[in-house]
Amino acid sequence: MQLGELAAVVLQTFLMVLFVAVLTPLRLPEKRTAVISLGLALALCALAGFLFAWRGLVFLTTYGFLFVSPLLFIAFRLFSSVGGIRYLFVVLTAFLFHQMLSTLLSAFRIWAGGSFTMLYLLLNLLVFGLLLTGGIAIRRDFHKIVLAYRYEFICLTPIFALLLGMSLLFSPVGQERGKLDPDLLLITLGLDLLTILFYLYVGVSFHSLGKLCDDTREATALRLQMQETQEHIALLRTAQERAAFYRHDLRHHVTLIRAFLDNGETDQLRSYLDDIQTELDGDTPERFCQNEAANLLLFSFMAKAAEAGVRLLADAQIPHSLPIGTPALCTLLSNALENAVSAAAKAGADTEKAVHLTTRLEDGKLLLLVENPYMGEVRLENGLPRSNRPGHGLGISSMESIVKKYGGLSSYQARDGRFTVRIVI
């Protein structure tokens, strides 16, 4: 039975490391995280084997926790994107559920005796495998909570630390591995139930609060985008009006030009024509498409891109009538182009700094494609670009809220130094 229990301890250690890796928000790519987690799991399994060979199974199962915990805590702390009390909360969460299941399985082992070694191993694999699967399922929401909140965990972490300490103190499995205290088992089950209820309460509370914050943030971002878009349209409409004035006053220009010609003042005429041409070029927006709002917005971003040293290559075939409203269209174009121009401007010197925009209406659906170069690393979570920097990511949230509102589809791809946004509504 010792070898069977040792195998169970090694299995628990292996899955425990993976569980901590799943719950911990890491600043590394997923592939590198998987490699590091696998290496750490194997190293801790080797440590468990060493402790077994050195001091025996009772020592390993009783005090192995004290050896594994600090190493696990330090290892993942080096790669975590959160620190302090929030990281401690993540680790406590992992150890609480691990300790809970480990105690129940140990109680089953003692109750069943030594004739169910293989069943005990299979139960370990099943139970801790389900724990790992559940961690993967809630990973995104859990990370979102941990990254979004900070001071709330100052109160929560001591409570969960107390629950973990009581779980270890009132363990029903005695120093001798063949003994089980029924009274302590009831206390342990009560503590486990209290822990689960506490986590359910915290999860529901944070989820509701997070949804409220997300809705508020998206509404604020949308309002700011719309305000900026309306300002762009107002400025460009003024430019169009100025160009119309020039066309209206053309007869006055013709009269003056004729006077210059009659008097033989060719130098003055040439200078006058240059001034008119410069003002007309600066005030007359380029025509990209039939849709006035989209046309004015693209003209504005053409100037923005030029200032940032980026070329905006637009193939826009947007008619007046669209399946979405003008505010939604402007929000999609503004956010997509803002992110694309910003990323292209930061690309390397040997990279062509150009943003390619393609948009058209096909079969009653609006198609939007934006491609741009980028430098560095783009992190995608569940298919969406994610950023831990404050104030970033609002544009993607605004775009996704519009796509969801109109029942559309979106995809984001970062490959070979090029980022691509595809939206169909």
Side-chain angles (χ1 to χ4, degrees):
M1 182 62 186
Q2 276 202 342
L3 290 178
E5 190 170 353
L6 173 63
V9 171
V10 170
L11 178 64
Q12 289 180 16
T13 303
F14 184 83
L15 294 177
M16 174 64 175
V17 174
L18 298 184
F19 185 58
V20 175
V22 164
L23 290 186
T24 305
L26 300 173
R27 55 173 178 263
L28 299 175
E30 291 186 359
K31 290 183 179 179
R32 194 181 304 175
T33 300
V35 172
I36 292 175
S37 301
L38 183 61
L40 181 61
L42 294 175
L44 291 179
C45 289
L47 175 62
F50 170 76
L51 293 176
F52 171 74
W54 178 40
R55 299 297 298 270
L57 183 61
V58 173
F59 179 86
L60 171 63
T61 53
T62 305
Y63 300 106
F65 176 84
L66 300 177
F67 289 87
V68 172
S69 301
L71 294 177
L72 200 58
F73 184 88
I74 294 172
F76 280 107
R77 176 63 187 88
L78 297 175
F79 307 108
S80 173
S81 59
V82 294
I85 202 76
R86 287 183 291 176
Y87 178 68
L88 182 59
F89 172 80
V90 172
V91 176
L92 283 174
T93 297
F95 278 117
L96 262 170
F97 283 94
H98 179 273
Q99 176 64 20
M100 184 188 309
L101 298 179
S102 179
T103 300
L104 293 177
L105 287 171
S106 296
F108 169 80
R109 174 188 55 78
I110 295 173
W111 171 78
S115 57
F116 295 98
T117 303
M118 185 56 65
L119 179 60
Y120 178 61
L121 285 175
L122 291 176
L123 280 176
N124 272 271
L125 181 60
L126 175 64
V127 170
F128 283 96
L130 289 175
L131 178 66
L132 180 61
T133 303
I136 294 173
I138 67 169
R139 175 172 174 258
R140 181 182 176 186
D141 290 335
F142 188 82
H143 287 180
K144 187 176 180 180
I145 289 173
V146 172
L147 291 170
Y149 302 98
R150 177 180 298 177
Y151 301 107
E152 288 79 1
F153 292 106
I154 295 177
C155 297
L156 289 176
T157 302
I159 295 175
F160 291 123
L162 178 62
L163 287 172
L164 178 60
M166 293 175 65
S167 178
L168 293 171
L169 180 65
F170 294 107
S171 175
V173 181
Q175 293 294 329
E176 297 182 13
R177 308 305 296 174
K179 289 187 177 182
L180 180 67
D181 190 324
D183 296 329
L184 289 181
L185 180 59
L186 290 176
I187 295 176
T188 299
L189 292 175
L191 288 173
D192 292 345
L193 180 60
L194 178 63
T195 301
I196 293 173
L197 291 176
F198 217 136
Y199 267 97
L200 287 175
Y201 172 76
V202 170
V204 170
S205 300
F206 274 120
H207 180 75
S208 300
L209 183 60
K211 189 175 184 305
L212 179 62
C213 290
D214 285 346
D215 292 343
T216 303
R217 185 163 54 245
E218 288 181 8
T220 302
L222 232 100
R223 187 174 64 255
L224 292 175
Q225 289 290 341
M226 286 306 306
Q227 182 179 350
E228 182 181 358
T229 300
Q230 289 171 357
E231 290 174 357
H232 281 311
I233 292 175
L235 290 173
L236 293 170
R237 185 172 285 114
T238 300
Q240 280 189 326
E241 291 173 356
R242 291 178 61 188
F245 287 143
Y246 274 114
R247 290 192 295 270
H248 180 266
D249 293 338
L250 184 58
R251 63 180 182 275
H252 302 296
H253 297 306
V254 170
T255 301
L256 189 55
I257 290 171
R258 187 181 298 277
F260 281 131
L261 288 173
D262 291 341
N263 296 328
E265 299 173 345
T266 55
D267 291 338
Q268 291 87 336
L269 174 59
R270 185 178 293 106
S271 176
Y272 181 67
L273 290 174
D274 289 341
D275 290 341
I276 293 176
Q277 184 64 49
T278 300
E279 291 189 29
L280 287 175
D281 288 343
D283 288 339
T284 304
E286 182 179 347
R287 295 298 298 179
F288 294 96
C289 59
Q290 297 176 357
N291 189 285
E292 179 189 6
N295 190 72
L296 294 174
L297 197 62
L298 291 175
F299 178 77
S300 173
F301 271 98
M302 186 74 74
K304 275 188 176 182
E307 290 179 3
V310 177
R311 288 195 305 148
L312 176 57
L313 306 175
D315 177 15
Q317 301 176 28
I318 309 176
H320 293 291
S321 179
L322 291 171
I324 64 175
T326 299
L329 173 65
C330 292
T331 300
L332 285 177
L333 288 174
S334 296
N335 284 295
L337 292 175
E338 187 79 42
N339 293 338
V341 170
S342 177
K346 298 175 184 176
D350 56 342
T351 303
E352 181 188 10
K353 297 185 177 182
V355 174
H356 297 263
L357 167 69
T358 303
T359 178
R360 57 176 50 88
L361 194 67
E362 290 185 3
D363 299 328
K365 295 180 179 179
L366 178 66
L367 310 179
L368 175 65
L369 172 65
V370 180
E371 294 180 284
N372 62 270
Y374 69 91
M375 186 173 63
E377 181 181 347
V378 175
R379 186 164 60 96
L380 298 177
E381 288 187 6
N382 297 317
L384 297 178
R386 295 295 177 188
S387 175
N388 295 331
R389 292 180 295 172
H392 289 262
L394 296 180
I396 297 296
S397 298
S398 297
M399 294 167 65
E400 285 301 302
S401 65
I402 292 174
V403 171
K404 183 178 179 181
K405 176 182 177 181
Y406 288 95
L409 298 173
S410 64
S411 71
Y412 305 86
Q413 185 181 60
R415 181 181 298 173
D416 300 328
R418 296 201 60 82
F419 187 79
T420 305
V421 178
R422 294 181 178 88
I423 293 177
V424 180
I425 296 180

